[in-house]
Amino acid sequence: MNEAASKLADQAMKKAERKLVPFIVLMYIFAFLDRANIGFAKNAFQISTGLSDAAFAMGAGIFFIGYAVFEVPSNILMHKFGARLWLSRIMVTWGLVAAAFALVTTEFQFLSLRVLLGIAEAGFMPAIVYYFTLWFTEKRRSSIMGLFWMGPPLAFVFGSPVSGLLLDLQGVLGYEGWQWMFAIEGLAAAASGIFAFRHLIDAPKNAKWLSDEEKAALLAALEEERERRSFEKVGALSVLLNAKVWYLALICFMIQVCNYGLNFYLPTHVAGLLGTKVGTMVGFVSAVPWIFALLATVYLPRVSDQTGMRASLAAMIIALSGIGYFISSTTLPLLGIAALCVVAVGNLACQPIFWTIPSRILTGLGAASGIAFINSMGNLGGFVAPNLRVFAETLFQNPNAGLYAMGISGFIAAGMLLVTISMGMGKNLKKEQES
């Protein structure tokens, strides 16, 4: 590609970044808040409904069963109907289900809605990963994924105080605080889904804000990149039998065990360190680790793009999370909060870099299906994490055993990421291009 065409392609990607990425980040904020806000409601919700710790852990994790089962079919349908329609559908349905938690009175209702929430949201994250392959070349993708992964920390930076304030609306109009939290945050997501249908564009060729020259240059750059790479020759279903895809799915699983060991329990962990109940104060303090994670998800993927480091950098980052878990078992509040900041940074910042790896070996419908499968298997870690914590604490009769189990999962993920280099998937991008 000549210099003029390359500049036009870069210009097109910068426009796409400004037009599409901010709203997609907003979508992810709602997605993450509606799946993780149960951590804020935990104590008050259990008191009101009589839910046991075991039932809560099961409900926190069972979300990922429905999510995993429907992930691949959802992403195949997205490939068929287009991102605009399918992502809008996902947002509306998950928002309505999330709001319905305000009506829960029994364990059966709680578990049923958690399964339905997983089904409703299935396909969202891998659809975005695949969507970005239609708009951005690989050399920019880690940075773009880093912007997308601002969603979870922003959900906690702004969502933690908001969730805390909503919990403090106890008794307003005869409703409990947790009911206000579920209803307001869920309906906000559903409303955003309606707007998504008007705002998103399925592909560069449909973008009115790109000139014909920019469209042609961007499509040519993407096609040139596809021709240079040696992709796995797989279809929508045969990709599920590919050894490399399974290996990436196992890495994703270990990362998510590490990740959700923090997400569901951060408010109660902070409350324990501070010696207070979950409310406004805990909400604000719980936002601190996510502020550091937010900065890391912007900066570290850019380092990955600049240096070409993929698997090696992701491995170092997730290993930090493992270290943070071990240190967070302290009873010293300041040290404990600092360790939780390290955990949040490690969990979040490694993921946008990791998600550049599948698109290096998959393309087309195989990418839509394969990325969905990797994410669905990975998100089973969200089911395992809360139950593993309870199991470890019960088995060893040690309240810190769950933290150590989460930390070990981070170390395992780091080791597996390093192996992808020898497998030809996670090599340094610049060294690969030079060779």
Side-chain angles (χ1 to χ4, degrees):
M1 176 174 285
N2 60 48
E3 186 176 348
S6 180
K7 286 183 178 179
L8 280 171
D10 286 339
Q11 192 171 296
M13 286 187 280
K14 287 178 182 178
K15 284 186 178 181
E17 181 179 338
R18 292 195 303 269
K19 293 284 187 177
L20 301 175
V21 175
F23 184 71
I24 289 173
V25 172
L26 178 64
M27 293 165 65
Y28 201 22
I29 289 172
F30 282 124
F32 213 84
L33 190 58
D34 283 340
R35 76 162 66 165
N37 60 8
I38 193 172
F40 277 93
K42 181 180 185 296
N43 292 338
F45 185 72
Q46 286 185 262
I47 292 172
S48 295
T49 60
L51 223 63
S52 66
D53 285 341
F56 176 85
M58 175 63 72
I62 206 171
F63 162 92
F64 296 97
I65 300 297
Y67 192 105
V69 170
F70 286 86
E71 187 88 315
V72 172
S74 179
N75 228 34
I76 291 173
L77 289 171
M78 183 279 299
H79 188 268
K80 178 179 180 180
F81 292 111
R84 183 178 65 158
L85 174 62
W86 203 246
L87 288 171
S88 177
R89 192 282 304 164
I90 290 173
M91 290 189 71
V92 171
T93 53
W94 99 52
L96 294 177
V97 173
F101 276 86
L103 306 176
V104 167
T105 58
T106 68
E107 179 180 316
F108 176 77
Q109 292 172 350
F110 171 65
L111 295 176
S112 298
L113 282 177
R114 286 297 290 180
V115 172
L116 287 175
L117 188 65
I119 293 172
E121 193 183 327
F124 175 75
M125 206 286 288
I128 296 296
V129 174
Y130 174 73
Y131 185 57
F132 283 155
T133 67
L134 305 178
W135 288 92
F136 302 100
T137 57
E138 186 178 358
K139 68 178 182 179
R140 294 178 61 92
R141 214 167 287 155
S142 182
S143 298
I144 296 298
M145 284 301 300
L147 295 175
F148 170 62
W149 274 93
M150 288 169 61
L154 283 172
F156 286 108
V157 168
F158 295 106
S160 295
V162 169
S163 294
L165 289 170
L166 291 174
L167 285 174
D168 287 340
L169 293 178
Q170 184 70 22
V172 174
L173 299 179
Y175 295 100
E176 299 198 43
W178 59 267
Q179 292 179 297
W180 283 109
M181 185 193 72
F182 284 130
I184 291 174
E185 293 177 354
L187 292 176
S192 296
I194 297 172
F195 184 71
F197 186 74
R198 297 174 57 87
H199 183 76
L200 294 181
I201 307 295
D202 283 321
K205 65 180 181 181
N206 304 124
K208 295 180 179 179
W209 32 265
L210 290 179
S211 68
D212 290 340
E213 292 79 9
E214 288 170 335
K215 292 178 185 178
L218 176 55
L219 292 172
L222 292 168
E223 181 59 31
E224 182 179 299
E225 182 177 88
R226 280 190 288 269
E227 291 176 351
R228 280 202 314 266
R229 299 204 59 80
S230 178
F231 293 103
E232 298 287 303
K233 293 180 173 58
V234 291
L237 297 179
S238 61
V239 70
L240 307 184
L241 302 176
N242 184 278
K244 290 183 178 179
V245 170
W246 270 93
Y247 189 78
L248 292 175
L250 289 173
I251 295 174
C252 190
F253 173 82
M254 297 309 305
I255 290 174
Q256 295 307 330
V257 170
C258 191
N259 184 31
Y260 283 99
L262 176 71
N263 295 348
F264 289 135
Y265 290 90
L266 180 60
T268 51
H269 194 144
V270 170
L273 286 168
L274 298 180
T276 186
K277 69 181 183 71
V278 178
T280 303
M281 175 60 70
V282 169
F284 278 104
V285 175
S286 296
V288 174
W290 302 114
I291 293 174
F292 285 94
L294 175 63
L295 297 174
T297 55
V298 174
Y299 175 71
L300 291 176
R302 290 183 180 178
V303 172
S304 177
D305 277 346
Q306 291 166 359
T307 62
M309 295 172 66
R310 294 302 197 220
S312 56
L313 182 58
M316 287 187 282
I317 295 170
I318 193 64
L320 279 177
S321 180
I323 295 170
Y325 268 118
F326 276 80
I327 298 175
S328 71
S329 62
T330 181
T331 57
L332 300 174
L334 188 60
L335 179 61
I337 299 299
L340 291 174
C341 291
V342 173
V343 174
V345 166
N347 286 348
L348 269 295
C350 79
Q351 296 194 59
I353 302 171
F354 166 79
W355 280 110
T356 65
I357 298 175
S359 58
R360 300 179 78 178
I361 64 169
L362 298 171
T363 188
L365 186 57
S369 179
I371 291 170
F373 176 72
I374 292 167
N375 191 59
S376 65
M377 291 294 291
N379 272 286
L380 288 176
F383 172 78
V384 170
N387 294 286
L388 177 60
R389 283 193 64 149
V390 172
F391 174 77
E393 290 165 6
T394 303
L395 179 65
F396 294 101
Q397 293 295 300
N398 184 335
N400 293 324
L403 294 173
Y404 302 151
M406 300 301 105
I408 291 170
S409 70
F411 297 142
I412 294 172
M416 293 181 72
L417 277 164
L418 291 176
V419 173
T420 66
I421 298 174
S422 61
M423 295 174 69
M425 296 186 291
K427 292 193 297 185
N428 184 300
L429 179 61
K430 291 186 176 181
K431 290 182 179 178
E432 185 180 59
Q433 290 174 341
E434 290 172 0
S435 61

